[in-house]
């Protein structure tokens, strides 16, 4: 913010300086050129009066030669451009448009090509035809004056710009510091520190944001406290009968061992792990971490295979090389469990868990985890789309005959991913799209 304020202020000042300094520099140059020509013309006019008093052409030429010590080149030229006399070292004076103007009866003036020149008409015709006085001076002095004036203007502009930059830096610091403190407080709030309170700065806009941030922190703190209390109470209420159920099952297993009792004990273990994961997900301090999805699926695969076997189904895991993701393992595990439970309940045939990179039109680095079944599903499938592809029922979880899909969608959305479901005549496909580890801060 400080940098943007500084750049904006300096850019605004520089624009104003350029809009003022460029016309000023051009005007100063014109003023100095006019002064230089005026000075040369004021020098030429007295000599013109002197030459007008010449009695004959040789006298006029002599008087011109006597001016050779001047710092300018003096020449007498006929109106047709013929040279009568000159003080030019090589005998060839530099002639420009000023001669034509003077030949028309008005003083001619010209600046450029390294010279300052004037032409003054003379009234004498002692050389047999009308003549004019021509003077040429080097423009080195003029260039030095113009350069000095431009440097002065540039120096003043630079000083003004530097002053503006300093003022902008001070103002930007004063304006940005309260918002930087607010950003720090918001970061603490985002990290789960609901006791964080935003400092006040005396800046009305920032203080209003701080008030709103403090109110939000207080409400979130109360909500999280209530959620934690509810989760703890719910966990306790669930664990108590679950413990009693486990004791009964263990007693039954000791008295009448059998596969059904063992399966019931495994279900009790799975239910206890599910409770632990769901309770952990309610805690704000449960952070996402970099995770290899293939490892997560393989760790849970034995339990899923047992569940499928109990229903006379086959479970297959297919894994392509994929990048790691940054998620909470419990959230992904619970979402996959929901998809598998629905596949076991509402379809037949082999269930395939497929791990693959994202499709070309999906975010780079994302990973897809899909659960595919061979159908048919227990509810009527939506009609295929015009392009022949299975219809998507993402926005209507109930249309998929699924249980717990709203929970799975909420868990995956919290991880920055998406849940999509497509149902076709050959079965259904439910996919979790999870962002890659490098795609999330």
């Amino acid at each position: 913010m400080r940098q943007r304020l500084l750049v904006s202020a300096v850019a605004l000042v520089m624009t104003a300086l350029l809009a003022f300094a460029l016309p000023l520099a051009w005007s100063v140059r014109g003023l100095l050129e006019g002064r230089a020509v005026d000075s040369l013309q004021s020098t030429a006019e007295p000599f013109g009066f002197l030459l007008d008093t010449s009695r004959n052409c040789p006298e006029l030429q002599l008087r011109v030669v006597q001016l050779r010590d001047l710092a300018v080149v003096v020449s007498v030229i006929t109106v047709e451009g013929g040279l009568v006399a000159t003080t030019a070292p090589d005998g060839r004076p530099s002639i420009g448009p000023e001669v034509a103007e003077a030949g028309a009866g008005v003083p001619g003036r010209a600046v450029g090509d390294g010279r300052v020149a004037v032409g003054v008409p003379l009234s004498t015709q002692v050389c047999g035809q009308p003549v004019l006085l021509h003077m040429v001076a080097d423009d080195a002095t003029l260039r030095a004056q113009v350069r000095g004036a431009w440097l002065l203007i540039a120096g003043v502009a630079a000083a003004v710009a530097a002053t503006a930059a300093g003022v902008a830096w001070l103002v930007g610091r004063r304006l940005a510091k309260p918002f930087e403190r607010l950003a720090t407080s918001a970061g603490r709030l985002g990290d789960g520190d609901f006791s964080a309170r935003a400092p006040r700065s005396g800046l009305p806009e920032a203080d209003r944001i701080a008030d709103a941030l403090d109110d939000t922190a207080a409400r979130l703190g109360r909500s999280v406290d209530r959620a934690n209390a509810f989760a703890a109470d719910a966990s306790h209420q669930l664990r108590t009968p679950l413990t009693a159920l486990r004791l009964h099952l263990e007693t039954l297993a000791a008295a009448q061992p059998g596969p059904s009792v063992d399966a019931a004990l495994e279900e009790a273990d799975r239910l206890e792990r599910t409770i632990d994961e769901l309770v952990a997900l309610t805690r704000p301090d449960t952070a996402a971490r970099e995770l290899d999805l293939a490892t997560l699926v393989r760790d849970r695969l034995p339990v899923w295979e047992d569940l499928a076997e109990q229903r006379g189904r086959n479970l297959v895991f297919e894994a392509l090389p994929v990048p790691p993701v940054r998620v909470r393992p419990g959230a992904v595990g619970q979402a996959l469990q929901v998809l598998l439970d629905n596949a076991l309940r509402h379809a037949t045939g082999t269930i395939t868990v497929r791990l693959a990179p994202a499709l070309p039109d999906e975010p780079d680095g994302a990973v897809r985890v899909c659960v595919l079944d061979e159908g048919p599903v227990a509810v009527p499938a939506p009609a295929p789309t015009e392009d022949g592809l299975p219809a998507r029922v993402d926005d209507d979880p109930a249309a998929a005959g699924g249980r717990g899909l709203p929970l799975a969608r909420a868990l995956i959305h919290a991880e920055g991913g998406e849940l999509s479901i497509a149902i076709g005549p050959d079965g259904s496909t439910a996919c979790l799209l999870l962002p890659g580890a490098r795609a999330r801060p």
Side-chain angles (χ1 to χ4, degrees):
M1 182 177 179
R2 296 185 188 186
Q3 184 177 0
R4 288 195 294 271
L5 289 173
L6 179 60
V7 170
S8 300
V10 173
L12 181 62
V13 172
M14 290 301 297
T15 301
L17 286 174
L18 289 175
F20 172 75
L22 291 179
L24 177 62
W26 188 262
S27 300
V28 167
R29 178 182 177 180
L31 177 63
L32 292 175
E33 289 178 349
R35 287 175 55 185
V37 175
D38 290 341
S39 176
L40 185 60
Q41 184 175 344
S42 65
T43 302
E45 289 175 348
F47 290 111
F49 295 140
L50 177 63
L51 296 178
D52 278 336
T53 61
S54 300
R55 292 187 294 266
N56 51 54
C57 191
E59 182 180 350
L60 184 146
Q61 292 173 336
L62 178 61
R63 288 180 174 179
V64 171
V65 172
Q66 289 174 344
L67 299 176
R68 62 181 176 272
D69 293 333
L70 293 177
V72 297
V73 175
V74 182
S75 305
V76 175
I77 305 171
T78 65
V79 293
E80 287 81 8
L83 181 62
V84 176
T86 182
T87 61
D90 56 359
R92 293 185 297 177
S94 174
I95 297 176
E98 70 280 353
V99 174
E101 294 177 7
V106 296
R109 303 152 64 97
V111 179
D113 298 330
R115 67 192 190 98
V116 178
V118 296
V120 179
L122 298 179
S123 59
T124 181
Q125 296 187 8
V126 294
C127 292
Q129 57 181 318
V131 294
L132 55 91
L133 175 62
H134 182 258
M135 282 192 174
V136 178
D138 187 77
D139 68 346
T141 302
L142 173 62
R143 290 198 307 270
Q145 291 175 345
V146 172
R147 185 165 54 250
W150 284 2
L151 288 175
L152 178 60
I153 293 173
V156 172
V160 172
T163 302
V167 173
W169 183 83
L170 292 175
V171 173
R173 180 183 179 184
R174 181 179 180 277
L175 292 177
K177 195 170 183 179
F179 292 98
E180 290 172 353
R181 292 176 177 173
L182 288 175
T184 301
S185 298
R188 292 175 57 193
L189 179 60
D191 291 337
D193 183 5
F194 302 113
S195 64
R197 293 296 179 265
R200 301 305 189 267
S201 61
L203 192 65
E205 294 81 0
D207 288 348
R208 284 198 294 270
I209 297 175
D211 292 338
L213 194 62
D214 287 350
D215 292 341
T216 301
R219 289 196 299 271
L220 285 176
R222 290 192 295 269
S223 298
V224 170
D225 289 342
R226 286 195 297 268
N228 288 339
F230 174 79
D233 292 342
S235 174
H236 176 72
Q237 293 297 325
L238 289 173
R239 289 177 191 279
T240 300
L242 183 60
T243 301
L245 176 61
R246 178 186 294 279
L247 291 174
H248 288 304
L249 289 174
E250 289 176 351
T251 302
L252 182 61
Q256 299 179 355
S260 298
V261 177
D262 293 339
L265 285 171
E266 291 178 0
E267 283 295 322
D269 292 337
R270 187 168 71 91
L271 180 58
E272 187 171 3
R273 287 195 300 269
T274 299
I275 293 173
D276 291 338
E277 288 185 349
L278 291 176
V279 171
L281 290 175
T282 63
R283 301 194 187 102
D285 57 348
T286 304
R289 59 183 177 86
E290 191 169 305
L291 178 68
D292 181 6
L293 282 178
T295 302
L296 181 141
V297 174
R298 289 192 179 95
D299 289 344
R300 296 173 182 251
L301 200 59
V303 176
W304 295 341
E305 289 174 339
D306 290 342
L307 293 175
E309 185 178 356
Q310 292 172 16
R311 294 177 179 267
R313 307 277 295 279
N314 187 30
L315 181 67
V316 178
F317 177 45
E318 299 176 355
L320 296 177
V322 295
V325 296
R326 183 172 295 278
V327 294
R328 292 177 296 175
V332 178
Q334 288 303 312
L336 281 174
Q337 184 66 54
V338 169
L339 300 184
L340 284 163
D341 286 343
N342 280 280
L344 289 171
R345 287 176 176 273
H346 302 295
T348 59
T350 299
I351 299 174
T352 302
V353 180
R354 182 174 298 160
L355 180 62
L359 299 178
D361 59 341
E362 293 173 339
D364 292 339
V367 177
R368 294 175 65 89
V369 187
C370 298
V371 177
L372 301 83
D373 60 60
E374 297 179 353
V377 294
V379 296
T385 59
E386 294 180 358
D387 55 6
L389 296 176
R392 295 174 66 88
V393 293
D394 299 20
D395 297 329
D396 186 10
R403 297 181 5 163
L405 289 179
L407 172 61
R409 174 172 280 112
L411 290 173
I412 294 304
H413 280 188
E415 303 306 306
E418 297 179 5
L419 167 62
S420 62
I421 303 172
I423 298 178
D426 297 328
S428 63
T429 301
C431 292
L432 306 179
L433 179 65
L434 300 172
R438 289 176 292 179
R440 297 184 56 170

